[in-house]
Amino acid sequence: MAYSGKGKAAAFFDLDKTIIARSSTLAFSRPFYAGGLINRRTVLRSAYAQFVYLLGGADHDQMERMREYLSAMCTGWDVSTVQAIVADTLDHIVRPMIHTEAVELIEQHHAAGRDVVIVSSSGAEVVEPIGEMLGADRVIATRMVVADGKYTGEIAEYAYGPYKATAIEALAAAEGYDLAASYGYSDSITDEPMLAAVGHPYAVNPDKALRRVATERGWPVLAFAEPAQRLGFPRVRRPAMAVGVVAAAVAGALLLASRRRARAS
């Protein structure tokens, strides 16, 4: 654990399949299609990717290839267009996917005086509005380079795997969080470094590998099932802070291509 101060504790939440029931990025494929950012073929491929994601998620190599695909797809996208599409569709796309249990945990941590930080490999244009909807205090997300209001295709900071832990430790040092007293929640083995960085890690709807690690290390396992379709969410108590400005994109085509290559080899 890189940082353990005497400040207040925080609660760090993964987003996809932890707070919400599916991939936040893939969920916006149809709105992006309607807004002219992607074509119909990409929408269909992203639907396949979502199916694969729900079955077991992508492994590390697939996520790295997703990063490359994300970079290529977003090149030239207008940042304000992405933001507008997300703002217009957020409520009916994301709200039905949010787990009631996650909302209740966020409220409990706030009641205990802890900041809530959402940590996601998705882009800030998606993650920040979700964080505001939920009343999160901070947001850590992938950062892409923007020039003249458009994405250049370069990824400046990828909030995935061990990079999540690095970002958490940097934020803890900046804000004075005591990581030894802090909490972490995730579903994926790729977030093991993030969970190991805090004193109170929880596996939420874990994949097989994370469940095994949780059992070995005595980490509690939580089951989130009920969507929060009718819950009213608290207003954000202070502006959510993103670690950079990021694009949101659909990674489905890459997953499909990787599965085809695997079958062909």
Side-chain angles (χ1 to χ4, degrees):
M1 196 173 299
Y3 180 84
S4 182
K6 294 183 179 180
K8 67 178 181 179
F12 299 94
F13 285 81
D14 174 47
L15 180 60
D16 297 348
K17 297 179 73 177
T18 301
I19 291 179
I20 64 176
R22 55 188 291 203
S23 164
S24 54
T25 297
L26 297 180
F28 282 94
S29 60
R30 291 187 181 277
F32 286 165
Y33 167 70
L37 294 179
I38 59 178
N39 58 34
R40 182 172 178 80
R41 185 175 184 180
T42 302
V43 173
L44 295 175
R45 284 176 168 175
S46 70
Y48 171 83
Q50 181 63 46
F51 174 71
V52 172
Y53 184 89
L54 289 173
L55 283 180
D59 61 23
H60 175 76
D61 290 341
Q62 287 171 329
M63 287 300 296
E64 287 299 312
R65 289 193 290 269
M66 281 184 186
R67 178 174 65 169
E68 297 172 2
Y69 182 77
L70 168 70
S71 175
M73 172 170 282
C74 290
T75 302
W77 281 13
D78 183 80
V79 177
S80 61
T81 299
V82 174
Q83 292 171 332
I85 290 172
V86 172
D88 289 344
T89 59
L90 179 70
D91 192 72
H92 74 269
I93 291 290
V94 173
R95 187 180 293 269
M97 300 191 303
I98 298 175
H99 292 298
T100 299
E101 297 90 343
V103 174
E104 292 172 348
L105 266 177
I106 288 170
E107 292 174 345
Q108 290 170 16
H109 283 299
H110 276 156
R114 304 183 191 101
D115 281 0
V116 170
V117 183
I118 294 178
V119 187
S120 175
S121 59
S122 293
E125 280 76 12
V126 167
V127 182
E128 278 188 341
I130 295 174
E132 184 172 357
M133 177 187 289
L134 292 163
D137 301 280
R138 298 285 188 272
V139 168
I140 293 173
T142 299
R143 180 172 64 88
M144 293 187 70
V145 177
V146 176
D148 299 323
K150 298 181 183 298
Y151 300 114
T152 68
E154 298 176 83
I155 298 179
E157 189 170 342
Y158 189 36
Y160 170 76
Y163 304 110
K164 284 188 177 183
T166 301
I168 284 173
E169 289 163 357
L171 182 61
E175 296 295 322
Y177 295 143
D178 182 355
L179 288 182
S182 293
Y183 294 72
Y185 302 88
S186 179
D187 71 289
S188 174
I189 188 60
T190 60
D191 284 341
E192 182 276 336
M194 180 184 87
L195 295 177
V198 300
H200 303 284
Y202 287 80
V204 179
N205 297 342
D207 58 29
K208 290 182 180 179
L210 181 59
R211 184 178 293 275
R212 182 167 55 251
V213 168
T215 300
E216 292 171 353
R217 300 183 189 179
W219 294 353
V221 175
L222 304 179
F224 290 179
E226 182 183 357
Q229 294 185 18
R230 295 181 176 85
L231 288 184
F233 297 107
R235 295 290 297 175
V236 64
R237 298 182 304 160
R238 56 179 175 172
M241 180 195 75
V243 179
V245 179
V246 201
V250 181
L254 183 65
L255 272 177
L256 178 59
S258 66
R259 298 281 171 159
R260 284 175 173 170
R261 285 196 298 268
R263 288 198 298 267
S265 60

